[in-house]
Amino acid sequence: MSKPVGAAVVVAWIAVVVYLAAFFWTALPIVVPDSNVVIRRLDVLLTIFLGEQTVAYWFEGFSGNSLWQRGHILTAVAAIFLVACAAGWICLRVFGVDRQLTRLEQFVFAAGTGLNLVSLATLALGMGGVMNRWGFAALGAAIVASAVVMARRDKNPPAKPGADRLCPPASSLQPPACSRQPPAVLCSNPHWLWAGLPFVVVLVLGAMLPPVDFDVREYHLQAPKEFYQNGRVEFLPHNIYANMPLGTEMLSLAGMIVCGDWWLGALVGKTLIALFAPLAALALVAAGKRFVSPAAGIVAALVYISVPWIALVSTQGLVEGAFAYYLFAALLAVMLWQASDDMRRERLLWLAGFLAGAAVSTKYPAVLFSVLPLAATIGYTALRAPRDKHAPRNFWRQVVRPVAAFLLFVALGCGLWLAKNAATTGNPVYPLMAEVFDGRTRTAEKNAQWTAAHDPPNWRIGDLAQRAAGIALTSPWLSPLLAPLAMLSFFGRRRRMACWLAAYFAFVFLGWWLFTHRIDRFWVPVLPVAALLAGMGATWTDARTWRVPCAVLLVCGLVSNFVLITSGTLGDHRYFADLNVLRVDPARVDPWHQYLNEHADEVTGVLMVGDAEPFDLEVPVRYNTVFDDNLFEAIARGRTPQQVRETLTQQKITHVYVSWSEIARYRSPGNYGFTKFVDPSVFAALEQAGVLAALPAIDGNPNALYRVVPASPNRADSGESR
């Protein structure tokens, strides 16, 4: 393709500049108390750039133990990741998939496959109550040793991306022919990838910090903590989220087992989850090199790893980064299958299916976002594939077989989770479809509460337009590079590929809008697709009037994103603080939780009412999520104070903690709701009856902690609790 005329480049730059102006003028959802001030992206960046304390905050709380602590975590992370890579590579080798992959692709797929294998192995062993750290270490050593032996015997070189058998057929996501492309100049040097290293370092440093996110402390880390303390993976009737697929959470459980400590293991698990972001970036490098150009892959990787959304979910311990990797890796495997003429190419569908199943083991929405569209793509590609006109048409062999192979390996990637749920609840997709399977603990009332909380809030076209604007411009943690470069992908040499990828992106967005409760974080998994489009857009022409300013734009965008990510705007950025100090940091730990930990010798059990974030508690605790049976109500409703005392004593509960702030939040308009039984008058009655004794309030804290008063033979209880 010839270079576009200068006018086309000018128009492209006008579009980019207009977008950037709108991007930095967009207001962020930051509310200044008692003020009507609007905070724009530009204001935030200027404040950060003009500040003098950002780097100093990285070392706030630094001590002689800080580096040792992180070294301990990284050692465990490296050990688990090495075992995962070895296990994944063995599978690729045994199934003969590695022969169709370059070395970079082998690493990307082996790491992801292996991490899911480690997760599934941890689940299987945990269900059997086999959670011995030395047993895990021996198994890991055997896997690594096996991989080393196989590698020493392996003399076949990996596939080269330029091989003729990898030219895509006309029906693939790629253009109809593998035409030779002129070498791109922008970012064509692999040394550009070093620009992504600071982001990887920051993601890892941030992931090693203690958790602050609600969901992470409610179940992403709390569930594996309970499994570890209980000695097995089992059904938790008080935490609905802990009974959904927890593919990435099993990495945290593996970390706890290897470290012999739930706290340190949780930080190991958080760090392992953060590694999915650089893995996805490497997958983008591989995809760009294979299907577009090396430069497109490099730009896509840099754009992706620098997106603040990715930094947010990766450092907080949320699973969307892992979901994003699995979604894109499965898509890449399907694209490789489309592009291959190898007689064994169907094995690439085995790989794609297992990775799509891994996505399902991470989050149920992967069935809609990954499995269904990829299965449809496989069927469509197989149906359109050229065939011998004189040979009879075999629909089974041509179409059904590849789709069935893909779905079979999807089942292998996530089936153990479905089997576990079916065995423990009677519902393989617990807690979904309770009206069909009637899963354990799901009454009609609770199912209605769950459905109301997770259904789309409305069906207005205006809301659709607003959400589309959010995903392109107004969502708070976007990158200024993503949307403008992605839009230019339609003007490059790979227009057909750009259209297919954009259609996939639109499909995920519409699925998110139609079938979820529309939390922005839930569309983050499709960002690798947008990043690949951005890489294609950045290399849409090799005209000097484009590539030189675009390189400047890329550098400026990376710098602004790095400054934002490391400024503390997304969360704690005390990257080198002593973890023992952060563990008890009052800015992170509820003051009543801290009190209970400090008086652990007086506590044999805490009943939490309204509070479902028990992760930081180091004492025995009983709690429930808002979607499960309220444990306090089950104890107190319709019973006398004496009966309440007897039940609390039998359950070894010495303290009752009531989080009125959380209860008020649940009862706020549009929120999940909370049982009306829990009322201050109930606790006042129990206090008056001498069953509970309130501890002195903490200044500025609306919550209350009660001590259970032991029964006295000289005092008779009277009165009824509500």
Side-chain angles (χ1 to χ4, degrees), residues 215 219 241 320 363 365 369 450-459 463 467 511-523 627 670 672:
D215 286 359
Y219 71 99
Y241 299 102
E320 279 73 19
K363 268 199 162 184
F369 294 169
W450 172 272
T451 302
H454 293 84
D455 274 353
N458 61 70
W459 304 101
D463 183 81
R467 305 285 181 170
W512 169 80
W513 190 81
L514 289 171
F515 300 107
T516 76
H517 46 318
R518 299 176 191 166
I519 296 177
D520 273 5
R521 176 163 50 88
F522 288 2
W523 54 251
F627 297 110
Y672 296 158

mmCIF file of all heavy atoms in Angstrom, residues 215 219 241 320 363 365 369 450-459 463 467 511-523 627 670 672:
data_model
loop_
_atom_site.group_PDB
_atom_site.id
_atom_site.type_symbol
_atom_site.label_atom_id
_atom_site.label_comp_id
_atom_site.label_asym_id
_atom_site.label_seq_id
_atom_site.Cartn_x
_atom_site.Cartn_y
_atom_site.Cartn_z
ATOM 1 N N ASP A 215 -14.106 -6.093 47.689
ATOM 2 C CA ASP A 215 -14.299 -7.436 47.152
ATOM 3 C C ASP A 215 -13.121 -8.344 47.474
ATOM 4 O O ASP A 215 -13.292 -9.542 47.717
ATOM 5 C CB ASP A 215 -14.493 -7.376 45.633
ATOM 6 C CG ASP A 215 -15.861 -6.849 45.244
ATOM 7 O OD1 ASP A 215 -16.661 -6.557 46.152
ATOM 8 O OD2 ASP A 215 -16.130 -6.714 44.037
ATOM 9 N N TYR A 219 -13.952 -11.700 49.605
ATOM 10 C CA TYR A 219 -13.889 -13.082 49.133
ATOM 11 C C TYR A 219 -12.677 -13.428 48.273
ATOM 12 O O TYR A 219 -12.211 -14.566 48.300
ATOM 13 C CB TYR A 219 -15.172 -13.451 48.375
ATOM 14 C CG TYR A 219 -15.358 -12.804 47.032
ATOM 15 C CD1 TYR A 219 -15.037 -13.490 45.861
ATOM 16 C CD2 TYR A 219 -15.888 -11.524 46.910
ATOM 17 C CE1 TYR A 219 -15.235 -12.917 44.617
ATOM 18 C CE2 TYR A 219 -16.093 -10.952 45.677
ATOM 19 C CZ TYR A 219 -15.767 -11.647 44.530
ATOM 20 O OH TYR A 219 -15.964 -11.076 43.299
ATOM 21 N N TYR A 241 -20.122 -15.637 47.463
ATOM 22 C CA TYR A 241 -19.085 -15.440 46.445
ATOM 23 C C TYR A 241 -17.999 -16.514 46.518
ATOM 24 O O TYR A 241 -17.361 -16.826 45.514
ATOM 25 C CB TYR A 241 -18.444 -14.064 46.612
ATOM 26 C CG TYR A 241 -19.400 -12.919 46.463
ATOM 27 C CD1 TYR A 241 -19.885 -12.242 47.577
ATOM 28 C CD2 TYR A 241 -19.833 -12.499 45.210
ATOM 29 C CE1 TYR A 241 -20.765 -11.180 47.444
ATOM 30 C CE2 TYR A 241 -20.714 -11.442 45.066
ATOM 31 C CZ TYR A 241 -21.177 -10.784 46.190
ATOM 32 O OH TYR A 241 -22.050 -9.735 46.057
ATOM 33 N N GLU A 320 -9.890 -9.128 37.148
ATOM 34 C CA GLU A 320 -10.146 -8.748 35.762
ATOM 35 C C GLU A 320 -8.897 -8.803 34.883
ATOM 36 O O GLU A 320 -8.993 -9.037 33.678
ATOM 37 C CB GLU A 320 -10.773 -7.353 35.720
ATOM 38 C CG GLU A 320 -12.257 -7.316 35.999
ATOM 39 C CD GLU A 320 -12.594 -7.560 37.451
ATOM 40 O OE1 GLU A 320 -11.691 -7.394 38.308
ATOM 41 O OE2 GLU A 320 -13.752 -7.910 37.757
ATOM 42 N N LYS A 363 -14.237 -16.118 36.026
ATOM 43 C CA LYS A 363 -15.504 -15.403 36.185
ATOM 44 C C LYS A 363 -16.543 -16.012 35.258
ATOM 45 O O LYS A 363 -16.253 -16.295 34.094
ATOM 46 C CB LYS A 363 -15.346 -13.914 35.871
ATOM 47 C CG LYS A 363 -15.026 -13.060 37.075
ATOM 48 C CD LYS A 363 -15.341 -11.601 36.808
ATOM 49 C CE LYS A 363 -15.438 -10.823 38.101
ATOM 50 N NZ LYS A 363 -15.831 -9.433 37.895
ATOM 51 N N PRO A 365 -18.996 -14.614 33.616
ATOM 52 C CA PRO A 365 -19.270 -13.902 32.357
ATOM 53 C C PRO A 365 -18.405 -14.333 31.186
ATOM 54 O O PRO A 365 -18.721 -14.016 30.036
ATOM 55 C CB PRO A 365 -19.006 -12.432 32.731
ATOM 56 C CG PRO A 365 -19.281 -12.364 34.185
ATOM 57 C CD PRO A 365 -18.813 -13.676 34.739
ATOM 58 N N PHE A 369 -18.587 -13.788 27.180
ATOM 59 C CA PHE A 369 -17.579 -12.928 26.566
ATOM 60 C C PHE A 369 -16.534 -13.697 25.761
ATOM 61 O O PHE A 369 -15.924 -13.133 24.851
ATOM 62 C CB PHE A 369 -16.856 -12.119 27.638
ATOM 63 C CG PHE A 369 -17.719 -11.112 28.344
ATOM 64 C CD1 PHE A 369 -17.275 -10.474 29.488
ATOM 65 C CD2 PHE A 369 -18.984 -10.803 27.876
ATOM 66 C CE1 PHE A 369 -18.064 -9.540 30.147
ATOM 67 C CE2 PHE A 369 -19.792 -9.884 28.528
ATOM 68 C CZ PHE A 369 -19.330 -9.258 29.659
ATOM 69 N N TRP A 450 -30.614 -11.336 44.904
ATOM 70 C CA TRP A 450 -29.406 -11.452 44.081
ATOM 71 C C TRP A 450 -29.677 -10.968 42.660
ATOM 72 O O TRP A 450 -28.894 -10.212 42.085
ATOM 73 C CB TRP A 450 -28.929 -12.906 44.080
ATOM 74 C CG TRP A 450 -27.822 -13.184 43.116
ATOM 75 C CD1 TRP A 450 -27.941 -13.535 41.803
ATOM 76 C CD2 TRP A 450 -26.416 -13.105 43.376
ATOM 77 N NE1 TRP A 450 -26.706 -13.702 41.234
ATOM 78 C CE2 TRP A 450 -25.752 -13.443 42.167
ATOM 79 C CE3 TRP A 450 -25.654 -12.810 44.500
ATOM 80 C CZ2 TRP A 450 -24.366 -13.486 42.065
ATOM 81 C CZ3 TRP A 450 -24.274 -12.848 44.389
ATOM 82 C CH2 TRP A 450 -23.649 -13.178 43.197
ATOM 83 N N THR A 451 -30.777 -11.418 42.091
ATOM 84 C CA THR A 451 -31.106 -11.042 40.715
ATOM 85 C C THR A 451 -31.316 -9.544 40.586
ATOM 86 O O THR A 451 -30.828 -8.912 39.638
ATOM 87 C CB THR A 451 -32.363 -11.798 40.249
ATOM 88 O OG1 THR A 451 -32.130 -13.211 40.354
ATOM 89 C CG2 THR A 451 -32.697 -11.459 38.805
ATOM 90 N N ALA A 452 -32.037 -8.963 41.544
ATOM 91 C CA ALA A 452 -32.286 -7.522 41.495
ATOM 92 C C ALA A 452 -30.981 -6.731 41.590
ATOM 93 O O ALA A 452 -30.829 -5.680 40.963
ATOM 94 C CB ALA A 452 -33.232 -7.123 42.625
ATOM 95 N N ALA A 453 -30.034 -7.248 42.366
ATOM 96 C CA ALA A 453 -28.768 -6.531 42.544
ATOM 97 C C ALA A 453 -27.856 -6.653 41.339
ATOM 98 O O ALA A 453 -27.019 -5.772 41.105
ATOM 99 C CB ALA A 453 -28.055 -7.061 43.783
ATOM 100 N N HIS A 454 -28.002 -7.725 40.549
ATOM 101 C CA HIS A 454 -27.061 -7.979 39.465
ATOM 102 C C HIS A 454 -27.673 -7.848 38.075
ATOM 103 O O HIS A 454 -26.957 -8.042 37.080
ATOM 104 C CB HIS A 454 -26.445 -9.378 39.635
ATOM 105 C CG HIS A 454 -25.567 -9.499 40.839
ATOM 106 N ND1 HIS A 454 -26.066 -9.767 42.090
ATOM 107 C CD2 HIS A 454 -24.216 -9.365 40.994
ATOM 108 C CE1 HIS A 454 -25.075 -9.804 42.967
ATOM 109 N NE2 HIS A 454 -23.947 -9.560 42.333
ATOM 110 N N ASP A 455 -28.936 -7.530 37.991
ATOM 111 C CA ASP A 455 -29.554 -7.270 36.693
ATOM 112 C C ASP A 455 -29.204 -5.865 36.213
ATOM 113 O O ASP A 455 -28.872 -4.985 37.023
ATOM 114 C CB ASP A 455 -31.073 -7.407 36.788
ATOM 115 C CG ASP A 455 -31.530 -8.842 36.592
ATOM 116 O OD1 ASP A 455 -30.670 -9.685 36.259
ATOM 117 O OD2 ASP A 455 -32.725 -9.122 36.783
ATOM 118 N N PRO A 456 -29.273 -5.612 34.904
ATOM 119 C CA PRO A 456 -29.046 -4.246 34.398
ATOM 120 C C PRO A 456 -30.033 -3.269 35.028
ATOM 121 O O PRO A 456 -31.202 -3.605 35.234
ATOM 122 C CB PRO A 456 -29.284 -4.387 32.888
ATOM 123 C CG PRO A 456 -29.037 -5.834 32.599
ATOM 124 C CD PRO A 456 -29.503 -6.578 33.812
ATOM 125 N N PRO A 457 -29.581 -2.071 35.364
ATOM 126 C CA PRO A 457 -30.460 -1.113 36.052
ATOM 127 C C PRO A 457 -31.566 -0.542 35.181
ATOM 128 O O PRO A 457 -32.588 -0.096 35.701
ATOM 129 C CB PRO A 457 -29.484 -0.005 36.493
ATOM 130 C CG PRO A 457 -28.336 -0.106 35.540
ATOM 131 C CD PRO A 457 -28.212 -1.554 35.198
ATOM 132 N N ASN A 458 -31.380 -0.523 33.860
ATOM 133 C CA ASN A 458 -32.398 0.030 32.960
ATOM 134 C C ASN A 458 -32.071 -0.423 31.545
ATOM 135 O O ASN A 458 -31.058 -1.073 31.291
ATOM 136 C CB ASN A 458 -32.441 1.562 33.047
ATOM 137 C CG ASN A 458 -31.111 2.187 32.640
ATOM 138 O OD1 ASN A 458 -30.723 2.170 31.470
ATOM 139 N ND2 ASN A 458 -30.388 2.735 33.619
ATOM 140 N N TRP A 459 -32.977 -0.042 30.614
ATOM 141 C CA TRP A 459 -32.785 -0.404 29.205
ATOM 142 C C TRP A 459 -32.883 0.826 28.319
ATOM 143 O O TRP A 459 -33.244 0.739 27.152
ATOM 144 C CB TRP A 459 -33.830 -1.441 28.776
ATOM 145 C CG TRP A 459 -33.828 -2.654 29.635
ATOM 146 C CD1 TRP A 459 -34.692 -2.949 30.642
ATOM 147 C CD2 TRP A 459 -32.890 -3.741 29.584
ATOM 148 N NE1 TRP A 459 -34.370 -4.147 31.231
ATOM 149 C CE2 TRP A 459 -33.269 -4.666 30.588
ATOM 150 C CE3 TRP A 459 -31.787 -4.027 28.787
ATOM 151 C CZ2 TRP A 459 -32.574 -5.840 30.824
ATOM 152 C CZ3 TRP A 459 -31.094 -5.201 29.012
ATOM 153 C CH2 TRP A 459 -31.494 -6.091 30.024
ATOM 154 N N ASP A 463 -28.850 5.594 28.215
ATOM 155 C CA ASP A 463 -27.851 4.961 29.075
ATOM 156 C C ASP A 463 -26.831 4.217 28.233
ATOM 157 O O ASP A 463 -25.628 4.232 28.542
ATOM 158 C CB ASP A 463 -28.534 3.990 30.040
ATOM 159 C CG ASP A 463 -27.556 3.350 31.000
ATOM 160 O OD1 ASP A 463 -27.208 3.995 31.999
ATOM 161 O OD2 ASP A 463 -27.129 2.209 30.740
ATOM 162 N N ARG A 467 -22.910 4.936 28.394
ATOM 163 C CA ARG A 467 -21.921 3.898 28.706
ATOM 164 C C ARG A 467 -20.900 3.776 27.579
ATOM 165 O O ARG A 467 -19.710 3.534 27.839
ATOM 166 C CB ARG A 467 -22.621 2.558 28.914
ATOM 167 C CG ARG A 467 -23.715 2.570 29.959
ATOM 168 C CD ARG A 467 -23.183 2.596 31.367
ATOM 169 N NE ARG A 467 -24.274 2.584 32.338
ATOM 170 C CZ ARG A 467 -24.135 2.405 33.635
ATOM 171 N NH1 ARG A 467 -22.928 2.225 34.131
ATOM 172 N NH2 ARG A 467 -25.171 2.420 34.452
ATOM 173 N N GLY A 511 -22.753 -7.219 25.478
ATOM 174 C CA GLY A 511 -23.048 -8.246 26.473
ATOM 175 C C GLY A 511 -22.960 -7.696 27.885
ATOM 176 O O GLY A 511 -23.776 -8.017 28.752
ATOM 177 N N TRP A 512 -21.952 -6.861 28.118
ATOM 178 C CA TRP A 512 -21.807 -6.205 29.424
ATOM 179 C C TRP A 512 -23.010 -5.320 29.716
ATOM 180 O O TRP A 512 -23.524 -5.309 30.836
ATOM 181 C CB TRP A 512 -20.511 -5.389 29.405
ATOM 182 C CG TRP A 512 -20.320 -4.449 30.542
ATOM 183 C CD1 TRP A 512 -19.882 -4.757 31.790
ATOM 184 C CD2 TRP A 512 -20.561 -3.029 30.537
ATOM 185 N NE1 TRP A 512 -19.824 -3.623 32.569
ATOM 186 C CE2 TRP A 512 -20.237 -2.553 31.820
ATOM 187 C CE3 TRP A 512 -21.006 -2.137 29.566
ATOM 188 C CZ2 TRP A 512 -20.351 -1.210 32.161
ATOM 189 C CZ3 TRP A 512 -21.119 -0.806 29.905
ATOM 190 C CH2 TRP A 512 -20.799 -0.347 31.186
ATOM 191 N N TRP A 513 -23.489 -4.577 28.702
ATOM 192 C CA TRP A 513 -24.605 -3.660 28.914
ATOM 193 C C TRP A 513 -25.928 -4.405 29.071
ATOM 194 O O TRP A 513 -26.778 -4.006 29.866
ATOM 195 C CB TRP A 513 -24.705 -2.687 27.736
ATOM 196 C CG TRP A 513 -25.661 -1.562 27.979
ATOM 197 C CD1 TRP A 513 -25.436 -0.417 28.684
ATOM 198 C CD2 TRP A 513 -27.020 -1.473 27.509
ATOM 199 N NE1 TRP A 513 -26.561 0.383 28.690
ATOM 200 C CE2 TRP A 513 -27.549 -0.243 27.976
ATOM 201 C CE3 TRP A 513 -27.827 -2.303 26.748
ATOM 202 C CZ2 TRP A 513 -28.845 0.170 27.705
ATOM 203 C CZ3 TRP A 513 -29.130 -1.900 26.471
ATOM 204 C CH2 TRP A 513 -29.623 -0.679 26.949
ATOM 205 N N LEU A 514 -26.079 -5.500 28.358
ATOM 206 C CA LEU A 514 -27.361 -6.208 28.346
ATOM 207 C C LEU A 514 -27.536 -7.157 29.524
ATOM 208 O O LEU A 514 -28.665 -7.390 29.968
ATOM 209 C CB LEU A 514 -27.517 -7.001 27.048
ATOM 210 C CG LEU A 514 -27.744 -6.192 25.766
ATOM 211 C CD1 LEU A 514 -27.645 -7.095 24.546
ATOM 212 C CD2 LEU A 514 -29.106 -5.503 25.803
ATOM 213 N N PHE A 515 -26.437 -7.706 30.039
ATOM 214 C CA PHE A 515 -26.580 -8.823 30.970
ATOM 215 C C PHE A 515 -25.873 -8.639 32.308
ATOM 216 O O PHE A 515 -25.878 -9.566 33.122
ATOM 217 C CB PHE A 515 -26.053 -10.111 30.315
ATOM 218 C CG PHE A 515 -26.777 -10.484 29.059
ATOM 219 C CD1 PHE A 515 -26.173 -10.325 27.820
ATOM 220 C CD2 PHE A 515 -28.073 -10.975 29.109
ATOM 221 C CE1 PHE A 515 -26.834 -10.661 26.653
ATOM 222 C CE2 PHE A 515 -28.750 -11.314 27.950
ATOM 223 C CZ PHE A 515 -28.137 -11.157 26.711
ATOM 224 N N THR A 516 -25.249 -7.494 32.566
ATOM 225 C CA THR A 516 -24.588 -7.284 33.857
ATOM 226 C C THR A 516 -25.135 -6.029 34.518
ATOM 227 O O THR A 516 -25.941 -5.299 33.932
ATOM 228 C CB THR A 516 -23.057 -7.142 33.702
ATOM 229 O OG1 THR A 516 -22.741 -5.839 33.187
ATOM 230 C CG2 THR A 516 -22.502 -8.199 32.759
ATOM 231 N N HIS A 517 -24.684 -5.768 35.743
ATOM 232 C CA HIS A 517 -25.132 -4.562 36.441
ATOM 233 C C HIS A 517 -24.228 -3.370 36.138
ATOM 234 O O HIS A 517 -24.234 -2.378 36.857
ATOM 235 C CB HIS A 517 -25.264 -4.791 37.947
ATOM 236 C CG HIS A 517 -24.122 -5.495 38.602
ATOM 237 N ND1 HIS A 517 -23.485 -6.572 38.067
ATOM 238 C CD2 HIS A 517 -23.504 -5.264 39.786
ATOM 239 C CE1 HIS A 517 -22.537 -6.978 38.885
ATOM 240 N NE2 HIS A 517 -22.513 -6.197 39.920
ATOM 241 N N ARG A 518 -23.441 -3.494 35.069
ATOM 242 C CA ARG A 518 -22.758 -2.360 34.420
ATOM 243 C C ARG A 518 -21.746 -1.644 35.308
ATOM 244 O O ARG A 518 -21.684 -0.414 35.329
ATOM 245 C CB ARG A 518 -23.796 -1.376 33.875
ATOM 246 C CG ARG A 518 -24.719 -2.005 32.829
ATOM 247 C CD ARG A 518 -25.799 -1.060 32.354
ATOM 248 N NE ARG A 518 -26.801 -1.781 31.563
ATOM 249 C CZ ARG A 518 -27.984 -1.299 31.243
ATOM 250 N NH1 ARG A 518 -28.330 -0.082 31.643
ATOM 251 N NH2 ARG A 518 -28.830 -2.016 30.536
ATOM 252 N N ILE A 519 -20.974 -2.407 36.030
ATOM 253 C CA ILE A 519 -19.817 -1.833 36.717
ATOM 254 C C ILE A 519 -18.692 -1.718 35.702
ATOM 255 O O ILE A 519 -18.403 -2.669 34.971
ATOM 256 C CB ILE A 519 -19.407 -2.724 37.903
ATOM 257 C CG1 ILE A 519 -20.532 -2.742 38.938
ATOM 258 C CG2 ILE A 519 -18.107 -2.239 38.527
ATOM 259 C CD1 ILE A 519 -20.261 -3.658 40.112
ATOM 260 N N ASP A 520 -18.058 -0.556 35.633
ATOM 261 C CA ASP A 520 -17.028 -0.324 34.623
ATOM 262 C C ASP A 520 -15.953 -1.404 34.621
ATOM 263 O O ASP A 520 -15.473 -1.822 33.568
ATOM 264 C CB ASP A 520 -16.369 1.046 34.858
ATOM 265 C CG ASP A 520 -17.134 2.162 34.176
ATOM 266 O OD1 ASP A 520 -18.211 1.885 33.621
ATOM 267 O OD2 ASP A 520 -16.655 3.311 34.191
ATOM 268 N N ARG A 521 -15.585 -1.835 35.804
ATOM 269 C CA ARG A 521 -14.499 -2.814 35.916
ATOM 270 C C ARG A 521 -14.790 -4.104 35.153
ATOM 271 O O ARG A 521 -13.860 -4.808 34.739
ATOM 272 C CB ARG A 521 -14.274 -3.105 37.404
ATOM 273 C CG ARG A 521 -13.267 -4.155 37.712
ATOM 274 C CD ARG A 521 -12.828 -4.064 39.173
ATOM 275 N NE ARG A 521 -13.914 -4.003 40.120
ATOM 276 C CZ ARG A 521 -14.511 -5.080 40.667
ATOM 277 N NH1 ARG A 521 -14.137 -6.282 40.313
ATOM 278 N NH2 ARG A 521 -15.468 -4.938 41.558
ATOM 279 N N PHE A 522 -16.051 -4.401 34.903
ATOM 280 C CA PHE A 522 -16.399 -5.666 34.277
ATOM 281 C C PHE A 522 -16.157 -5.684 32.770
ATOM 282 O O PHE A 522 -16.221 -6.748 32.164
ATOM 283 C CB PHE A 522 -17.854 -6.029 34.589
ATOM 284 C CG PHE A 522 -18.079 -6.446 36.022
ATOM 285 C CD1 PHE A 522 -17.038 -6.447 36.929
ATOM 286 C CD2 PHE A 522 -19.330 -6.823 36.468
ATOM 287 C CE1 PHE A 522 -17.227 -6.817 38.252
ATOM 288 C CE2 PHE A 522 -19.535 -7.202 37.783
ATOM 289 C CZ PHE A 522 -18.481 -7.199 38.676
ATOM 290 N N TRP A 523 -15.925 -4.520 32.134
ATOM 291 C CA TRP A 523 -15.549 -4.568 30.721
ATOM 292 C C TRP A 523 -14.032 -4.467 30.534
ATOM 293 O O TRP A 523 -13.542 -4.533 29.395
ATOM 294 C CB TRP A 523 -16.264 -3.511 29.886
ATOM 295 C CG TRP A 523 -16.179 -2.073 30.318
ATOM 296 C CD1 TRP A 523 -17.182 -1.318 30.845
ATOM 297 C CD2 TRP A 523 -15.046 -1.185 30.209
ATOM 298 N NE1 TRP A 523 -16.752 -0.039 31.103
ATOM 299 C CE2 TRP A 523 -15.445 0.076 30.706
ATOM 300 C CE3 TRP A 523 -13.754 -1.329 29.749
ATOM 301 C CZ2 TRP A 523 -14.581 1.175 30.752
ATOM 302 C CZ3 TRP A 523 -12.884 -0.241 29.799
ATOM 303 C CH2 TRP A 523 -13.308 0.985 30.295
ATOM 304 N N PHE A 627 -26.152 -11.423 50.915
ATOM 305 C CA PHE A 627 -26.997 -12.331 50.139
ATOM 306 C C PHE A 627 -27.171 -13.687 50.809
ATOM 307 O O PHE A 627 -27.812 -14.572 50.247
ATOM 308 C CB PHE A 627 -26.391 -12.535 48.738
ATOM 309 C CG PHE A 627 -26.326 -11.278 47.933
ATOM 310 C CD1 PHE A 627 -25.102 -10.676 47.664
ATOM 311 C CD2 PHE A 627 -27.476 -10.671 47.456
ATOM 312 C CE1 PHE A 627 -25.034 -9.516 46.920
ATOM 313 C CE2 PHE A 627 -27.415 -9.498 46.717
ATOM 314 C CZ PHE A 627 -26.190 -8.918 46.448
ATOM 315 N N GLY A 670 -31.189 2.035 45.949
ATOM 316 C CA GLY A 670 -30.494 1.401 44.836
ATOM 317 C C GLY A 670 -29.455 0.386 45.243
ATOM 318 O O GLY A 670 -28.826 -0.230 44.371
ATOM 319 N N TYR A 672 -28.160 -3.071 47.838
ATOM 320 C CA TYR A 672 -28.584 -4.464 47.904
ATOM 321 C C TYR A 672 -29.719 -4.729 48.887
ATOM 322 O O TYR A 672 -30.400 -5.736 48.785
ATOM 323 C CB TYR A 672 -27.390 -5.344 48.287
ATOM 324 C CG TYR A 672 -26.271 -5.346 47.276
ATOM 325 C CD1 TYR A 672 -24.983 -5.703 47.654
ATOM 326 C CD2 TYR A 672 -26.486 -4.997 45.952
ATOM 327 C CE1 TYR A 672 -23.938 -5.719 46.731
ATOM 328 C CE2 TYR A 672 -25.463 -4.999 45.030
ATOM 329 C CZ TYR A 672 -24.194 -5.359 45.421
ATOM 330 O OH TYR A 672 -23.174 -5.371 44.512
#
